[in-house]
Amino acid sequence: MKRVACQIVAILLAVPAVAQDQSLTLDVTEVYRAGGADAQEEWAFFGPSLRARFDGAGNLVVLDVLDNRVVVIGPDGQLVRSVGRKGEGPGEFQQIKALAVWRDGRIAVPDQGHAAIQVFSPEGELDRLVRMDDEDKPLSSSLGHEEIRADQSGGRLIAQGVAGVLVAMMNRMNRLVGYQEDETSSGVDDRALETLDFSGDMVVSRPILQGWRAPRPELMLSPGDEEDWAKVVASMEDRYFEPGFHWDALPDGTIAYSDSTAYAIKLASPDGSVTDVLRRPLSPEPVSARIRRATIDYHLERLEQWLERPPSTGMPFMAPDPERRRQRIRERGFYHEIPVVRRLKATWNGGLWIQRRGEDPWDDDGPIDVFSPDREYLGTLPAGAPGMPLAFGPDGLVVHLVRDELDVPTLVVSRLTSATPQPRSRTRSPSRRAATAPPGAR
């Protein structure tokens, strides 16, 4: 009898956990739209890459990466002001990728061209231009942050490091030209966070948190390969299903992040020390041979769709090599299991939205688990209803980014008025679903 009991326990431990989702429905009221191909105002014609944040008055602050500009849109959908413009002087932008907004309306924009952080007052006037560290930094540390947050509990920024593959490429390039880096010159990577303090004459950075990176064998390249950047990039890029690093900053300074395949949302204090972990019984799915084949087929199909209508870059050297791209898709490595968590956002009042994988292993737009500010699980929104916002604002405001068939972006601002729990039902975790053929091949 004892032996049978042990066998039953072993079987139960071998079965991936299945969550009981509490279904949620939201009442969503659209407030306004800005952008799109049919925009009536010139200021509302946006480029393909946007960053957006709300301030405490409900204004939406939008950074247009391609056009090097910032616009502030009021709660009524009308232009409040433009902040900065393209140019070389103070208060003008040269190369910007990221945006941080405080609730009182202050705006911070790191500018690679100026090698500085430009800080604007709530009225849109340049308040300070604070230079980055000395100009002797290597190229790998001047690539610029793309993900930053305003620390609402203080006057600093929280920034994610530069993508590891880019840093590694720049470091290799530096070595080829004879530049020798010291141990501190390359900065934090894309799985780490640092604070940027601009209260003095120079920006002071301090690493606060290092996320986990899945180990991998180091690929040794010959001296000839060092000059073949395609091989260098292929040797450094993430494997399929490599666990991501997803994070956000809560209003009280707490940092929430996910850095593994498990459903484990770590909560860290402002100094980076982990104080709690949010979990749900959802297990990552092992990567089978069938999943490998389906994933390669999916990415090959996506490539063919892209080749039929590639974006116009205006740069001939960026033209694709179709056969080399197909080869990279086929030869790219696989991580051994599929991450559960795909996105993470903090709400205006300190709650959390955690987006899980969808039905297919490569689908990032799955259901969203909603947690209250006191870390209580409230329920789960079904996939696509309404989807993960770009940003949360006061009084239930959210903004989503939608694109038309020509990839022209439109910002849709809505108000979430209520979240209604539905009868609890036992739902099968998507992580246990077998892989299917990619869309269009079914």
Side-chain angles (χ1 to χ4, degrees):
M1 186 69 178
K2 183 177 181 180
R3 183 178 178 182
V4 173
C6 290
Q7 290 175 338
I8 293 173
V9 170
I11 292 171
L12 290 175
L13 290 176
V15 176
V18 178
Q20 276 192 310
D21 285 346
Q22 173 69 61
S23 297
L24 280 182
T25 59
L26 287 175
D27 291 333
V28 182
T29 303
E30 185 173 314
V31 179
Y32 66 83
R33 294 184 173 227
D38 57 352
Q40 300 299 310
E41 304 289 344
E42 184 177 354
W43 63 264
F45 285 99
F46 297 120
S49 181
L50 303 178
R51 306 285 187 272
R53 298 283 185 271
F54 286 98
D55 67 17
N59 298 314
L60 182 64
V61 184
V62 182
L63 181 146
D64 191 327
V65 174
L66 184 63
D67 289 340
N68 280 294
R69 65 190 181 113
V70 173
V71 297
V72 180
I73 307 172
D76 59 356
Q78 300 301 309
L79 178 68
V80 174
R81 67 179 66 90
S82 296
V83 178
R85 61 181 182 181
K86 188 172 184 178
E88 299 182 358
E92 297 176 331
F93 302 129
Q94 295 186 45
Q95 190 175 0
I96 55 179
K97 295 181 180 179
L99 171 79
V101 179
W102 281 266
R103 296 192 173 194
D104 62 7
R106 288 176 295 144
I107 300 170
V109 182
D111 190 326
Q112 288 180 257
H114 284 292
I117 294 176
Q118 303 206 57
V119 185
F120 296 86
S121 71
E123 294 73 35
E125 301 296 328
L126 179 65
D127 180 54
R128 304 190 68 204
L129 186 151
V130 188
R131 299 287 179 186
M132 300 288 191
D133 209 343
D134 61 81
E135 297 180 359
D136 295 329
K137 283 279 189 178
L139 182 59
S140 61
S141 62
S142 61
L143 290 167
H145 303 91
E146 294 190 24
E147 288 293 336
I148 64 173
R149 302 289 187 272
D151 181 1
Q152 301 295 342
S153 62
R156 62 181 187 171
L157 298 175
I158 304 171
Q160 182 177 353
V162 179
V165 63
L166 295 178
V167 172
M169 284 180 62
M170 293 303 102
N171 288 345
R172 286 177 183 270
M173 184 180 294
N174 287 332
R175 287 194 294 271
L176 286 175
V177 299
Y179 183 93
Q180 297 297 320
E181 295 185 318
D182 59 41
E183 294 181 354
T184 63
S185 61
S186 61
V188 300
D189 65 17
D190 59 328
R191 302 188 72 84
L193 302 178
E194 63 183 348
T195 58
L196 304 177
D197 187 334
F198 51 88
S199 59
D201 296 331
M202 301 284 288
V203 176
V204 177
S205 63
R206 183 175 69 86
I208 57 170
L209 187 154
Q210 178 65 57
W212 178 75
R213 184 182 294 279
R216 68 174 70 183
E218 184 176 356
L219 180 64
M220 303 303 295
L221 296 172
S222 68
D225 289 334
E226 288 279 350
E227 298 180 7
D228 187 337
W229 291 112
K231 291 183 180 179
V232 173
V233 171
S235 71
M236 298 176 184
E237 69 180 351
D238 285 348
R239 293 163 285 187
Y240 293 116
F241 308 125
E242 190 104 4
F245 181 73
H246 313 290
W247 70 280
D248 207 346
L250 280 65
D252 64 357
T254 297
I255 299 167
Y257 70 99
S258 168
D259 63 353
S260 69
T261 58
Y263 196 110
I265 311 303
K266 299 174 183 176
L267 302 174
S269 62
D271 66 1
S273 57
V274 175
T275 59
D276 197 3
V277 181
L278 298 181
R279 302 182 188 274
R280 293 202 65 215
L282 292 159
S283 299
E285 179 182 6
V287 175
S288 64
R290 181 183 179 187
I291 289 175
R292 290 173 183 250
R293 291 192 300 269
T295 301
I296 291 172
D297 289 345
Y298 167 76
H299 286 282
L300 286 172
E301 182 178 328
R302 289 286 302 273
L303 174 62
E304 298 307 320
Q305 292 172 353
W306 186 89
L307 290 172
E308 289 178 2
R309 195 177 63 190
S312 176
T313 62
M315 295 179 286
F317 65 87
M318 293 291 288
D321 180 340
E323 192 49 48
R324 174 168 284 186
R325 285 173 177 252
R326 294 185 188 101
Q327 181 179 357
R328 282 178 60 185
I329 288 173
R330 296 187 185 101
E331 295 179 354
R332 185 178 169 188
F334 280 85
Y335 194 63
H336 67 276
E337 56 187 14
I338 302 167
V340 177
V341 175
R342 301 301 171 91
R343 293 189 186 93
L344 181 158
K345 288 282 187 181
T347 67
W348 185 262
N349 63 356
L352 286 170
W353 282 27
I354 312 297
Q355 187 157 38
R356 293 155 26 193
R357 55 162 285 192
E359 291 189 348
D360 290 312
W362 49 80
D363 183 2
D364 293 333
D365 297 318
I368 298 173
D369 294 336
V370 179
F371 289 83
S372 70
D374 60 3
R375 318 296 185 239
E376 178 188 0
Y377 168 67
L378 299 178
T380 300
L381 300 171
M388 184 68 83
L390 270 182
F392 290 85
D395 302 320
L397 289 175
V398 294
V399 58
H400 288 86
L401 182 66
V402 298
R403 300 180 184 275
D404 63 16
E405 63 278 3
L406 298 177
D407 209 33
V408 178
T410 298
L411 293 165
V412 181
V413 175
S414 306
R415 192 181 306 276
L416 308 181
T417 55
S418 66
T420 306
Q422 300 300 308
R424 183 183 291 270
S425 61
R426 186 174 180 84
T427 59
R428 188 178 183 183
S429 166
S431 62
R432 297 182 61 190
R433 182 185 185 275
T436 61
R442 294 176 180 173

